[in-house]
Amino acid sequence: MPFSRTSSERGNPEPGRNALASSPHKEPLQTLLQRLTLILLLVLLCLQPFSQPSTAYADRLQQESSLDQQARDLLARMTPRERVGQLFLVTFDGTDAGSESQIYDLINNYHIGGVVLLAENNNFTWDATLENVVALTNQLQTDEWEAAQRNRADPAPNENYTPQFIPLFIGISQEGDGFPNDQILNGLSPLPNQMALGATWNPALARQVGSVLGQELSALGFNLLLGPSLDVLEATHTEGSRDLGTRTFGSNPYWVGQLGREYITGIHQGSDNRIAVVAKHFPGAGASDRLPEEEVATIRKSQSQLRDFDLVPFLSVMGEDVPPESTVDALLTSHTRYQGFQGSIRDVTRPFSLDPSAFAKLVEQLPQLAHWRSNSGVVVSDNLGSRAVRRYYELIRQEFDPERIARNALYAGSDLLYIDDFSTTLESSSYAAAARTLDQFALKYREDPLFSERVDEAVLRILKLKLKLYGEFALEQVLVSPENLAEVGKNAQATVDVARQSATLISPTLTELNETVPDPPDLYDRIVFITDTRRAQQCSGCPVQQVIDARALEEVVLRRYGPQGSGQIGANNVVSYTLEELQAILEAGRGDSQMERDLGRAHWIVFSMQNPSAAYPSYDILKNFLTNRPDLFQQKRVVVFAFSAPYYLDATNISKLTAYYGLYSKAPQFIDMAAYLLFREIPAEGAPPVSVTGVYNLNEAIQPDPDQLIPLTLDLPTSTESEAVGTAEPVLNYGPFRVGDIVPVRTGVILDNNGNPVPDGTPVDFILSMAGEVNSQVRQTEYTVGGVTRTTFQVTSTGSMNIRVESGPARQSQVLNLEIIAEFPAGSEPSATPTLEPTPLPTETPTPTVTPEPTETPTGAIGEVAPPRQPRFSDWFIAILITATVAWSTYRLSAMLGNVRWGVRAGFLALIGGLAAYSYLALQMPGTENLLNGSVARGVILVTLTGTAIGLASTWLWRTIWITTNGNGEGKSRS
C-alpha cells in the first residue's frame, strides 16, 4: 500500500524533529521497534520450516565439503613423488619394518600410500600373534611419520613443497572361517564365512558379525578391509575349487545386497568409522568359472544384464539414499573379462581392472555409481601382480611389464593400485620392480600433464578417505594401544547365533527324517566319525595346525553326551578316522583293515566335510565311497555335515544319505551345532542361500509361499504394526465411503517358501471388483519393498467393493469389503472423516457394527486421512517470491509518491506478514489442515497474500496512529 508525505513532512521537516525532541521516549521506542522488526525478518528468513531436510544428509554434505578443502590444501603441499606414492598399496615379506628393511625404504623414499598384510608373506607370527600385529602396524605408521619429519628438515632439492605426514593404509583380507581365506588364524574371535550369514537370512546378524570384525581389526591397527564380497554366486560347480563358494552371501541379488549392506554398517560401527571397507569383486564375478586370484575368467553378460543382477548388491551400498554408515568406502575391481559388455556378443573387454573404457561406461549409465564416484568413492585394483594377470599377458603374448600394467589400471579408473609380487624376468625382486615403477610414475608425472591430472584426481580421493578415517593427520590419532587387545578374541556370541540360525537340513524334510530316524544315537549304538581334515600354518616357520581336527566332532559329542555328560552314548562305542584314511582303503580295494571292520559294525557313519580344493578334492572321495562301497554303509544311518558350500553332492548321492545338513562354516561353534543336530536337541532353522541340484531350487524358494494368507488392510496412519501383518480373519469390513474417495491399501509382509520376506521387486496384483457388476474386476500390479506393497484405488460407483491380492503362486489373501454410497444422508454427515477400524464379517459370535467416530481430520477422500503434506522447498520459494514482490512494489510506489520512509516500513511489514503467515502454514498450526490437504501451492499463495495484506494494513494503521499522536497538523494533511 503506497503512502504520500504530508504537507508538513514536505515543507517543514523541523516541526517533526522538534516534536520528537519534545518527547524523549519516542525516539528510543521507534529505534527499538525498527531493530525488533529487522531481527524478526532475519529470523523468519533463516528459520523457514519449508521441508525439514535430513539433518544427517546436511551434515554429510558439510563433512564432504570440509574434507574436500582439507584434501586440496594437503595435495597442494605434496611433492610429485609423494603424490604418485599415494597410489600404491604394496606387500612385503616378514615382520621387520625397521630402518634396514625394504618396506622402510618404500615408505621413507617412495612415500607409498599403504600396505597389505598377508599370511603367505609371513607378516604374522605363531606366538603372541596379536601383540606382534599391533607392534608391526604401529611401526609402519611410525616409519611414515619419521620420514615426514626427516624430509621436512631436509627437503628434496629443486622441489618447493613441504613434506607431509600422511597415515598409511594398512589393509587385510579377513573373510571369516579361518584357513584359507583368513590371514590371521589365531587370537581373533572365530567368525563365520559369508555363506553362513546368507543361510540365516538375517541382516541383523550380518551387522553383528561385521561389528565384531571391525572392532577387532581396528584394535590391531588395520584401517582398510578388502571385503566383503558382494558377488552374486550365479554359477556353482559341484567339482569345487572353481567358484567363490562360501566367500559369498549367496545367489540372490536382493539378499546379497541386504546382508552386505548390514555387514558394512557393522564394520563401520564396530571400528568407530576407523576402517575403510572395500567391496569386491566389482562389477561382479559370481558367474565366473575361475577363481579371481588364479585366472582371468570371461563372463558372457551385457551391461543391462550386469545392472539387473550382478550390480544390484553394489548399487545398494552407494547412492544418495544410502546412509553414510552403510555406504561402501571403496570398490575392488576384478580382473574378469566381459563378453557382450559393449553391445556386440563378439566383443570382449580386457580384464575389467585394466580396461580404460569399461568403468567409465558404467559410471555414465548408473546414477548411483556416478553419485558415489562424485563423492570421492575410491576404486582399488585387484592384485596387479597376481597369477591371473600374468596368465592373461601370457595368453595375449605380451611381456609382464609392471609399469605399463599399473598405468593401465590407473587409466581404467583405479585410484589405489594393489601390487603383490611385481617381480619380472629382469627383476626377480618384487621390491625392486615396485621401486622402479614408482620412479617411472614420478618421472611421467613431471612430463605428462594428462597423467599428472589423473594422478592428482586419484590422490585427492585417497586423501579424503584417509581424512575421513582420522580427522587430522597426527601420529597419536593413528597409533593403537596394546591395551585394546583386552577385548579381542572374546566375542563369540554372534558366531553362536549364526551357527544356530544358519544350520540347514537339506535332505530329507524334517517330517521324513522323524519317520525314518525317530531317535538319536543311544547307549548301544556304534558311531564312526570320518573327518575331512586340512593342514594350515600361520607362517612358513610356524607349527602345523589341523583344520578341522580328526577327533573334533567326537570330542564334542563325548563331552555333551558321553559318560561325563548326559550318558546317552558309551565312550567305547565311538571312533574317529580322517577322510585320507578312507581314501586309502578305497584305493586299496576290499580288505580287512581296522577301519573297514569298524565301519562294518557301525550303526551310524558321520562325515564332516570341508570345501574341496584343486589339491584335495574331498567330495570326490565321499562320492567314491557312496558309489563303490555300499557294503560298508547299507542298513546304516549315514549323516553328512557340510562345513562348506552345500552343492558338491548331486541328488543321487544325497539320496543315499540318511540326513544331509548344511553348516557352511567350520568355526568351533558350528562343530558344536553339528553335535546338537546329530542328537536332535536343536532343530535346523536355516535355508540354503544357493541352489542344490535336484534337491533345492533357490528361485522357487524365494517365491511367495502359496499356503499363506496374505495380510491386507487399509493404509491408514492409525494402523498398527499388528494390522500391517494382518489377522486371521479372511474378510474385513470397512465403510461407509463416498464415490470419488481415494482408498489407500497395503499388504502385510508377504513371506516366501522359507518364511522370509520376499525380495524387493516381487510383483503383487491388487484385484478390485464391485459386487453384482459384470466385468467390473480391475487388476493393478505393484511391487514389494521390504516385503510390503502399497497402492490406491479411486471409488467410481456405489455398492460393495471387494479388494484382494495375489502374488505369484500365493493366491489367497484377506479381502477388504468396502461399502460405497453416493453421499452421506442430509444432516448425518460427520464433521470429520470417520476413524476406520476393521471388523470381521459376522460369525457364530455376533460382531457389533462399527460406528464412525469424528476425528480432527476434515471430511473428504479416504486419502485425506493420511498426514498433510509438508511444504517443500518450492513452496517456500513461492512464498519468498510473493512477499518480496509485494514488498518491493509497495516500496517503489511509495517512493514514486515521495514517501520513502513509510514505503520502507510498509515493505518490511508486508515481507514479515507474508513470511509469518507462511510459517504458520508450514508448522501445520490449527486451521491449516484444509489448505495442506488440498493443493499445497495454492494454499501457500493464499496464505502468503493474506499475510502481506495484513502487513500492509498494519502499516496503514501504524501511520495513522503516528500522525494522530505527533500533531503539527499531520492528521489533517494526510493524503
Side-chain angles (χ1 to χ4, degrees):
M1 180 184 292
F3 297 93
S4 61
R5 290 188 296 177
T6 63
S7 57
S8 48
E9 286 175 322
R10 290 193 300 266
N12 184 12
E14 291 300 320
R17 191 174 303 165
N18 292 336
L20 287 173
S22 65
S23 179
H25 297 288
K26 289 180 180 177
E27 186 170 2
L29 180 60
Q30 179 186 15
T31 303
L32 179 61
L33 288 173
Q34 291 174 342
R35 290 177 179 173
L36 288 174
T37 300
L38 287 172
I39 291 172
L40 179 61
L41 178 61
L42 290 174
V43 169
L44 288 171
L45 282 171
C46 295
L47 301 180
Q48 284 295 306
F50 50 89
S51 63
Q52 298 179 347
S54 167
T55 303
Y57 184 64
D59 291 344
R60 187 176 181 180
L61 292 177
Q62 184 176 2
Q63 181 191 31
E64 287 288 339
S65 176
S66 175
L67 290 178
D68 184 75
Q69 189 57 52
Q70 291 181 64
R72 291 184 184 278
D73 292 344
L74 187 58
L75 180 66
R77 299 195 298 270
M78 293 172 64
T79 68
R81 186 175 289 278
E82 285 178 324
R83 297 185 188 195
V84 299
Q86 283 297 309
L87 303 176
F88 287 86
L89 199 60
V90 306
T91 61
F92 64 97
D93 292 328
T95 59
D96 180 18
S99 58
E100 300 301 319
S101 64
Q102 293 176 344
I103 188 60
Y104 181 88
D105 183 55
L106 291 175
I107 293 172
N108 185 66
N109 295 317
Y110 294 92
H111 312 287
I112 56 171
V115 300
V116 175
L117 302 187
L118 299 171
E120 65 183 68
N121 288 341
N122 297 316
N123 294 141
F124 307 105
T125 61
W126 165 258
D127 56 325
T129 304
L130 303 186
E131 291 79 2
N132 290 337
V133 171
V134 169
L136 178 58
T137 58
N138 281 343
Q139 182 62 56
L140 290 166
Q141 298 290 12
T142 302
D143 289 347
E144 168 60 26
W145 183 82
E146 289 177 350
Q149 308 312 306
R150 186 179 303 108
N151 291 334
R152 184 175 285 111
D154 184 22
N158 303 321
E159 291 184 346
N160 297 320
Y161 297 94
T162 304
Q164 303 294 318
F165 166 57
I166 302 172
L168 296 170
F169 280 131
I170 300 182
I172 189 172
S173 175
Q174 191 80 0
E175 298 181 358
D177 203 30
F179 178 83
N181 298 317
D182 275 350
Q183 303 304 314
I184 300 177
L185 304 181
N186 306 292
L188 297 179
S189 299
L191 294 177
N193 56 40
Q194 291 182 206
M195 187 171 286
L197 287 169
T200 69
W201 303 84
N202 187 345
L205 280 180
R207 179 182 291 204
Q208 291 178 32
V209 171
S211 180
V212 172
L213 182 62
Q215 182 264 320
E216 297 195 352
L217 291 182
S218 179
L220 296 178
F222 292 101
N223 56 19
L224 187 75
L225 177 63
L226 301 179
S229 163
L230 296 185
D231 300 290
V232 183
L233 190 62
E234 185 176 3
T236 59
H237 302 277
T238 57
E239 67 272 22
S241 78
R242 293 175 57 189
D243 56 37
L244 292 170
T246 55
R247 299 168 64 185
T248 69
F249 288 112
S251 296
N252 179 262
Y254 168 77
W255 281 104
V256 171
Q258 292 295 302
L259 293 162
R261 181 166 167 163
E262 291 303 306
Y263 191 83
I264 291 169
T265 302
I267 293 168
H268 284 149
Q269 292 177 346
S271 67
D272 197 20
N273 293 310
R274 299 293 289 270
I275 288 183
V277 181
V278 186
K280 55 188 184 185
H281 303 84
F282 186 85
S288 170
D289 59 354
R290 305 285 190 277
L291 289 176
E293 300 87 357
E294 298 296 324
E295 189 174 350
V296 172
T298 299
I299 295 176
R300 181 176 292 188
K301 283 200 174 183
S302 65
Q303 292 182 47
S304 61
Q305 290 172 320
L306 284 171
R307 181 183 64 246
D308 296 339
F309 192 83
D310 300 78
L311 284 167
V312 170
F314 292 98
L315 299 181
S316 72
V317 294
M318 57 181 66
E320 287 187 63
D321 59 336
V322 181
E325 65 271 14
S326 302
T327 299
V328 71
D329 301 291
L331 297 174
L332 186 139
T333 54
S334 73
H335 297 319
T336 306
R337 305 177 73 190
Y338 294 91
Q339 185 175 8
F341 182 87
Q342 311 286 2
S344 171
I345 197 63
R346 292 186 296 273
D347 293 333
V348 183
T349 67
R350 298 188 207 176
F352 190 86
S353 56
L354 302 174
D355 194 308
S357 61
F359 183 78
K361 288 182 181 295
L362 289 182
V363 173
E364 290 175 4
Q365 296 193 6
L366 301 172
Q368 301 97 320
L369 179 60
H371 170 82
W372 177 83
R373 190 66 168 154
S374 67
N375 283 275
S376 303
V378 174
V379 176
V380 184
S381 73
D382 204 346
N383 179 15
L384 297 176
S386 68
R387 184 181 304 175
V389 174
R390 294 175 184 273
R391 286 180 172 177
Y392 169 73
Y393 279 98
E394 290 175 3
L395 180 66
I396 62 175
R397 298 181 179 178
Q398 289 187 12
E399 184 181 352
F400 181 83
D401 181 355
E403 190 273 336
R404 180 184 61 193
I405 292 170
R407 183 162 25 91
N408 288 344
L410 181 68
Y411 284 131
S414 292
D415 305 305
L416 265 175
L417 308 176
Y418 174 27
I419 57 174
D420 174 42
D421 186 16
F422 239 25
S423 60
T424 65
T425 54
L426 299 178
E427 290 173 313
S428 58
S429 166
S430 179
Y431 154 74
R436 182 174 65 84
T437 302
L438 283 156
D439 284 333
Q440 292 172 329
F441 263 51
L443 179 63
K444 190 169 182 62
Y445 182 94
R446 293 182 175 92
E447 296 177 347
D448 187 341
L450 292 178
F451 181 78
S452 63
E453 181 181 354
R454 174 67 188 102
V455 169
D456 287 348
E457 175 191 346
V459 174
L460 190 63
R461 288 194 173 95
I462 293 168
L463 293 176
K464 289 178 68 174
L465 181 52
K466 291 184 175 182
L467 284 166
K468 179 182 174 183
L469 296 177
Y470 292 111
E472 59 177 334
F473 292 160
L475 185 61
E476 59 272 14
Q477 291 282 341
V478 177
L479 299 183
V480 295
S481 171
E483 296 178 359
N484 295 340
L485 297 179
E487 298 302 319
V488 174
K490 300 178 180 178
N491 300 289
Q493 187 57 49
T495 305
V496 171
D497 294 340
V498 173
R500 179 161 187 164
Q501 294 188 32
S502 65
T504 306
L505 177 59
I506 300 172
S507 177
T509 66
L510 181 59
T511 301
E512 293 170 340
L513 182 62
N514 288 333
E515 292 175 354
T516 57
V517 187
D519 299 310
D522 61 29
L523 186 62
Y524 303 102
D525 284 344
R526 296 178 180 271
I527 308 174
V528 174
F529 294 100
I530 301 176
T531 303
D532 177 7
T533 62
R534 307 292 171 86
R535 297 171 181 83
Q537 290 176 278
Q538 181 64 84
C539 61
S540 58
C542 295
V544 174
Q545 300 173 245
Q546 294 294 327
V547 188
I548 306 165
D549 186 80
R551 298 186 66 244
L553 184 54
E554 176 192 340
E555 290 174 350
V556 174
V557 167
L558 286 175
R559 185 171 65 249
R560 296 186 184 279
Y561 308 103
Q564 304 303 318
S566 63
Q568 289 177 247
I569 60 172
N572 296 326
N573 288 339
V574 296
V575 63
S576 293
Y577 292 95
T578 67
L579 200 62
E580 288 179 335
E581 292 175 298
L582 178 63
Q583 183 180 21
I585 68 166
L586 292 175
E587 291 175 351
R590 296 177 184 270
D592 190 33
S593 66
Q594 182 63 46
M595 185 176 185
E596 287 177 284
R597 289 196 297 271
D598 286 337
L599 287 171
R601 292 194 298 264
H603 299 92
W604 296 77
I605 303 175
V606 180
F607 286 88
S608 297
M609 304 297 296
Q610 299 191 50
N611 284 309
S613 65
Y616 192 61
S618 54
Y619 275 87
D620 287 349
I621 300 172
L622 176 57
K623 293 174 187 177
N624 186 6
F625 173 74
L626 295 174
T627 301
N628 299 315
R629 294 302 303 269
D631 59 298
L632 294 178
F633 67 84
Q634 284 179 343
Q635 307 303 316
K636 306 181 190 303
R637 292 168 179 175
V638 181
V639 178
V640 174
F641 291 109
F643 299 97
S644 64
Y647 46 71
Y648 297 123
L649 295 177
D650 59 27
T652 301
N653 293 318
I654 295 173
S655 67
K656 300 174 183 179
L657 306 178
T658 304
Y660 181 35
Y661 288 95
L663 277 298
Y664 310 100
S665 184
K666 55 187 180 291
Q669 292 82 357
F670 291 83
I671 296 174
D672 289 347
M673 188 65 197
Y676 284 124
L677 294 171
L678 181 62
F679 283 82
R680 312 288 283 276
E681 280 202 56
I682 296 178
E685 300 179 12
V690 293
S691 294
V692 179
T693 304
V695 176
Y696 173 85
N697 186 296
L698 178 66
N699 290 330
E700 294 178 1
I702 60 176
Q703 292 297 310
D705 181 4
D707 296 329
Q708 69 183 305
L709 180 71
I710 300 177
L712 188 63
T713 184
L714 290 184
D715 195 7
L716 304 177
T718 56
S719 296
T720 63
E721 186 62 29
S722 62
E723 290 172 338
V725 192
T727 67
E729 299 297 338
V731 181
L732 302 176
N733 290 328
Y734 289 88
F737 300 100
R738 298 177 304 181
V739 173
D741 283 351
I742 303 297
V743 181
V745 184
R746 76 158 183 263
T747 68
V749 177
I750 302 174
L751 302 178
D752 66 16
N753 288 293
N754 288 329
N756 303 307
V758 294
D760 283 3
T762 300
V764 177
D765 290 333
F766 288 82
I767 304 169
L768 179 148
S769 60
M770 299 298 296
E773 294 187 15
V774 181
N775 299 324
S776 65
Q777 188 176 95
V778 176
R779 185 179 290 260
Q780 188 167 310
T781 303
E782 303 292 345
Y783 299 90
T784 57
V785 175
V788 175
T789 316
R790 289 175 163 85
T791 193
T792 59
F793 290 100
Q794 184 168 22
V795 178
T796 59
S797 60
T798 60
S800 179
M801 174 191 289
N802 294 324
I803 302 175
R804 61 186 180 88
V805 296
E806 295 178 356
S807 182
R811 320 284 290 204
Q812 303 177 40
S813 79
Q814 291 180 302
V815 178
L816 301 185
N817 186 13
L818 311 182
E819 178 190 351
I820 312 299
I821 60 176
E823 288 291 341
F824 290 114
S828 65
E829 182 174 356
S831 60
T833 299
T835 300
L836 303 171
E837 298 292 345
T839 302
L841 284 180
T843 59
E844 295 180 3
T845 304
T847 303
T849 305
V850 175
T851 303
E853 299 179 2
T855 66
E856 295 183 357
T857 309
T859 305
I862 299 303
E864 293 175 358
V865 178
R869 179 171 74 80
Q870 190 78 8
R872 301 171 180 165
F873 177 83
S874 57
D875 303 318
W876 174 82
F877 184 77
I878 291 172
I880 289 291
L881 186 63
I882 292 173
T883 54
T885 301
V886 173
W888 178 253
S889 301
T890 301
Y891 164 73
R892 291 300 302 165
L893 189 56
S894 297
M896 290 172 59
L897 295 175
N899 194 332
V900 175
R901 176 182 299 177
W902 283 105
V904 170
R905 293 170 178 167
F908 268 118
L909 283 178
L911 193 61
I912 292 171
L915 294 178
Y918 170 78
S919 298
Y920 189 89
L921 176 71
L923 289 170
Q924 300 181 15
M925 301 299 283
T928 62
E929 292 87 351
N930 285 328
L931 291 171
L932 289 175
N933 280 323
S935 170
V936 175
R938 184 173 59 199
V940 166
I941 294 172
L942 291 174
V943 167
T944 305
L945 287 175
T946 302
T948 55
I950 293 173
L952 291 176
S954 301
T955 310
W956 177 84
L957 181 61
W958 181 8
R959 186 174 184 276
T960 300
I961 296 172
W962 178 268
I963 294 174
T964 303
T965 58
N966 281 279
N968 294 320
E970 287 186 25
K972 296 178 181 179
S973 62
R974 186 171 69 84
S975 299

